Every structure is written in C-alpha cells, then in structure tokens.
Amino acid sequence: MTDAAPAPVLRVLSLGAGVQSTTLLVLAAAGELPRLDYAIFADTGWEPAAVYQHLDRVEKEIARPAVIPILRVSSGNIRDDALDPRHRFASMPLHILNRDGSPGMTRRQCTSEYKSKPIKKQIRSLLGYPYPARIPRDVFVEQWIGISTDEFHRAKDADVRYMRNRFPLIEAGLTRDDCLRILTEHGFASTPKSACLGCPYHGNAQWRAIRDGSPAEWADVVAFDHAIRAGNARANADGNRLLGQAFLHRSRLPLDQAPIDRPTAQERRARQLPLIEAHELEDGEPDGCSPWACRSGASTQEKFGLTA
C-alpha cells in the first residue's frame, strides 16, 4: 500500500479579472468547483479603468459573499517605471523599427516582473515561508489558472515546487464561449479583457475601444507611446539607447497615426493582407495578460539595434 499524495496547503486562483479567471471565481463561489482559499490579482498599476471596476464588482458581489478573499498585489506601476530613469525597468515587448527599416521587438520581461513575481511573493507569505526561506518539498499551493480548452496549449506547469498549477476549465471541457455564457447567466456579460492599458499586443479593435470609449485613457497611451520612442528611460540613462525607434502599435507608427480603423475589403486587398493576418491585426489575442500564459507566448527577442 502506497502513501497518499500530499495535499495542497491552500487552493488559490490567479485572478486576472478577465473572462476565464472570472468564470473560475464564479463557479467556485457557486459551489460548482471546490472552494477557493484566496484569489490573487497582480496589479500592474496601469490596467484599464474597466478592469478595476469589474474587479471591484466581482469582489463585492461574488467573492465576499462566498468568503473568498481577493488579495491585490503589485511590484509597482509599469507606466511610471518605464519613464523613470532611476528605476530598473522590466522591458515591455515594444515594436521596434530599426534604422535600416527592419522590424524587431524588445524582450518581454514585464509579465514576470509585474505579474508572476508579486504573486509568488504573496504565496510564499501565505505559506509562512517568505523569501529566502526554504519551503519543504511537501508544502505547496494548488493554483488555478484560467485557460479554456481552445487554448489548452498555453497550459504549463509552475516553475517552482511550492506552486502546482491546475486548469479546471480544461478539466471541465469548457471553451471561452462556454465561459462567456456562464458569465452572462450570472450578470457579467461585460467582463473586459485584462491587459495593461498600453499593451503592445492589443489588436486594432482594442485600440479603437480605448480611443472611442475613453478619451482620457487614449490621451494617456498616446502620450506614453510618444515618450518611449527611444526605449525605456533607464536604458537611455545607462547609455543603452536604441539605434531605432520603439512603438506600441505593430505598424511601427505613432499610435495616434497608426491604421487602427477596421480596413474595408478593398483596403485589405490593396494592402495585400491575408485574411488571417487581417484578423490578427483587428482582434489581437482573444484573452488578456496571464501571469502564466502571456499572450506573447515564449519570451523572445527579435533583432533590434542598440548603441555600443
């Protein structure tokens, strides 16, 4: 007879406040999934107002009645840090136009720094082993990740022993459309996508929504796009200036000049855009920024120039 597998000390939800993770919170609160001990929201400090409003509502109407504490954690304000020459900045995946006209993209470090790092710190605290304390091998949390069956390829194991990832939506065979149906049934049909206001992975539809629906937020991202043209402030202060220019929009044009309006079929043909590419430009990734499955996939760095 073999010993039973060790049980998790806690069951926590990585709450991005987008469609999938909100669905998990709703199902747990309704008793359709096991009880959660905590939900953890990693705040970059630059989420759209709609995300903060949604999070407040979910906390009031879903989490508190079910006695599921929502813990809000942060490593700082990603926008302020990018523009502060005194602050060590975790690079955003900016679109680069090199001097020779070739495209590139800076390395993505922001997900690790502003999402997964503060969550890991909070989980260590909940377990009673703050860094650099060694956590015993059999002490761990079960961490729920909001990935549905249509994105099963994004499901990955945790990179530390004290966190063991679980994907209840995949286990239940639920798609993103199923999640939208569940949220609609519970009065949360307007659940927003969770991503930084100025995320370079936005599709044109998201940029338009900001421009047309929130003038103040549009002015904010346009100003930020202008401010990062030469890269982040700390790199410039350290003498590591880009040889090219950095942009938020994949067209590598200033955001207020970028072609974010939906192209007509004639314009698409004139620009020789394949239908699939046109779809990606329009919609971007379907979900927001997950600490464990960033929309950009693996951390990569395309070719771009720096000064010597």
Side-chain angles (χ1 to χ4, degrees), residues 106-123:
T106 54
R107 184 173 52 178
R108 172 181 57 84
Q109 297 173 315
C110 51
T111 302
S112 174
E113 181 69 19
Y114 292 92
K115 291 284 186 178
S116 58
K117 181 178 176 180
I119 290 176
K120 289 177 179 178
K121 182 178 179 180
Q122 180 65 73
I123 286 177

Side-chain angles (χ1 to χ4, degrees), residues 6 21 31 39 123 143 193 232-233 259 301:
S21 64
I123 286 177
Q143 177 179 233
K193 294 180 182 179
N232 74 73
Q301 184 170 8

